[in-house]
Amino acid sequence: DWKGNQKLLWDGLGRPLSFTWAGTGGFFVLENIPETRIQIIEKGQFQDSIPVQSNIKGSCAGIARRPNGSFLVSSTEDGKILETSAKGKTSVFSTQVFSPEKLRLNPDGSIWVLDRLMNELVLLDAKGQVITRVSGKPFQLSDFDLDANSGSTQVPLYALDSRTGVILLHQPGAKQFKENIKLSSAQAGIRRSFAYIPSQGFVIAQNDEAGSLVWIDQMGDVVPNATAVETLLAKGFKEIADMAWKADRGLQILSQNGWIRTVSLNFGADTPTPSPTPAPPSLTPTNIPTLPPVTPTATNTPLPTPTATGTPTATNTPQPTPTATSTEARSRNTLKRPMACAAISAITTT
């Protein structure tokens, strides 16, 4: 405040690796330093912390919240998926995955798990037993996401293969992936993160030196195995560990540097055009070239409040323009000014 008093919101120093939703606008963030804990963030402020009580080796990399309120946490080096109650009581949920990492829940309660070393996706039932394993030719699976709008008890999923630069599609019941979209830049060996925007396309964090965030239209369902045009949305999104989209939230992006940004993407009925407007000094908006049939453009108009839409709607422009803006709320050294939250809101530290 103006007197120089500071209030710690969230120090963000625990190298967060994954998150899941909390309440109407909050997050459960998985951190590992100095110990594995689940940090509860509501309205941009730290609320509470849940310890993950276990003698595990290395970092826990994935988190999911079950319908009963408990959390599943993946211990990659130990080959265990742990279950932690809201009070911090921890037990072993499953040992069926060799190196479990990212977790995602199906509507029926089953769990998809990314096996990092085996480069496969494993589907577990609600008791932690294997239903199926999905693999194929040698992959380097960086990330995966579920089709949140499917409406089925088990939903289609998309996976990103960074070795060959391909977005893969898996339909419920299938034994293998189907190549859906070829990326124009393979970037073999670089671990990228991505999120699927149902019926629209994909946002990929390249995790390159520039921190590039790119948009890819969902053309693979129309032209199978098509080569995508990767359209640059913004720079400055570095060390991205997790991304997720939700109809009433927009796109949430988590960085290991200790911030979460909420990206709003609003689409018109005919020509969706994503256009993030990053506000932090580290982000440089870029004019976005034409992407047939999508024309993303970048703007420089920060929004005062987060906006996330389930059924995307057009903005007040002649052509519908999805918007994404960014402000950062810093928890140390810079709290002499009010905390700002906008359509990309970042909770961070320096």
Side-chain angles (χ1 to χ4, degrees):
D1 60 19
W2 65 276
K3 293 182 179 180
N5 299 317
Q6 298 185 21
K7 179 180 179 181
L8 181 64
L9 302 180
W10 171 42
D11 63 19
L13 295 177
R15 299 290 288 175
L17 291 177
S18 187
F19 74 95
T20 189
W21 319 107
T24 58
F27 310 92
F28 296 104
V29 183
L30 179 64
E31 292 190 327
N32 291 282
I33 299 174
E35 60 185 359
T36 303
R37 303 185 72 86
I38 300 169
Q39 311 287 18
I40 304 174
I41 312 296
E42 286 281 0
K43 297 181 180 179
Q45 298 188 19
F46 171 80
Q47 298 294 324
D48 203 353
S49 182
I50 302 172
V52 179
Q53 301 170 351
S54 63
N55 296 319
I56 55 176
K57 297 183 295 184
S59 299
C60 289
I63 184 173
R65 195 182 188 196
R66 306 190 73 188
N68 64 5
S70 66
F71 299 91
L72 297 179
V73 175
S74 60
S75 175
T76 305
E77 290 189 26
D78 278 345
K80 296 177 181 178
I81 298 175
L82 309 172
E83 183 168 9
T84 298
S85 71
K87 295 183 179 180
K89 183 179 179 180
T90 302
S91 59
V92 177
F93 173 75
S94 178
T95 58
Q96 300 295 304
V97 183
F98 185 72
S99 56
E101 198 171 85
K102 185 172 183 176
L103 308 174
R104 286 289 185 265
L105 291 181
N106 271 317
D108 66 355
S110 58
I111 305 103
W112 280 106
V113 186
L114 173 60
D115 190 327
R116 169 59 55 190
L117 293 182
M118 300 302 291
N119 277 302
E120 63 182 8
L121 287 171
V122 183
L123 181 62
L124 303 177
D125 63 21
K127 296 182 178 179
Q129 300 301 309
V130 174
I131 298 175
T132 187
R133 299 177 186 270
V134 183
S135 185
K137 66 181 183 181
F139 293 126
Q140 183 182 352
L141 297 181
S142 289
D143 203 355
F144 75 98
D145 202 4
L146 305 184
D147 184 349
N149 280 6
S150 173
S152 304
T153 55
Q154 291 191 13
V155 301
L157 65 82
Y158 293 89
L160 178 61
D161 174 23
S162 288
R163 184 189 302 276
T164 58
V166 173
I167 294 176
L168 307 164
L169 171 64
H170 177 265
Q171 296 286 0
K175 297 296 183 182
Q176 292 186 338
F177 294 109
K178 173 186 175 183
E179 291 190 4
N180 188 249
I181 300 174
K182 293 180 180 179
L183 304 182
S184 56
S185 60
Q187 289 189 289
I190 296 179
R191 181 178 174 183
R192 294 181 283 183
S193 184
F194 89 135
Y196 172 58
I197 315 301
S199 303
Q200 302 292 351
F202 307 86
V203 176
I204 298 181
Q206 300 282 41
N207 281 331
D208 53 12
E209 291 185 1
S212 304
L213 197 69
V214 300
W215 168 260
I216 293 176
D217 181 47
Q218 187 178 352
M219 61 181 69
D221 294 343
V222 179
V223 183
N225 217 18
T227 299
V229 176
E230 299 177 30
T231 306
L232 180 65
L233 297 180
K235 297 180 180 180
F237 288 79
K238 296 184 177 182
E239 294 199 57
I240 303 305
D242 200 5
M243 303 171 67
W245 179 89
K246 198 173 184 180
D248 60 348
R249 298 282 195 95
L251 177 66
Q252 258 90 38
I253 302 178
L254 171 69
S255 169
Q256 293 185 64
N257 289 331
W259 50 256
I260 297 173
R261 291 180 186 143
T262 302
V263 180
S264 174
L265 296 173
N266 301 316
F267 297 92
D270 299 319
T271 55
T273 53
S275 57
T277 307
S282 61
L283 299 181
T284 304
T286 304
N287 292 329
I288 299 178
T290 300
L291 174 59
V294 182
T295 310
T297 58
T299 65
N300 288 305
T301 306
L303 299 178
T305 56
T307 58
T309 55
T311 302
T313 57
T315 57
N316 297 321
T317 56
Q319 293 184 349
T321 305
T323 59
T325 58
S326 174
T327 58
E328 297 205 7
R330 298 183 180 274
S331 60
R332 289 184 179 177
N333 303 328
T334 57
L335 288 184
K336 294 182 181 180
R337 60 185 182 189
M339 184 182 73
C341 295
I344 301 182
S345 58
I347 309 165
T348 185
T349 183
T350 52

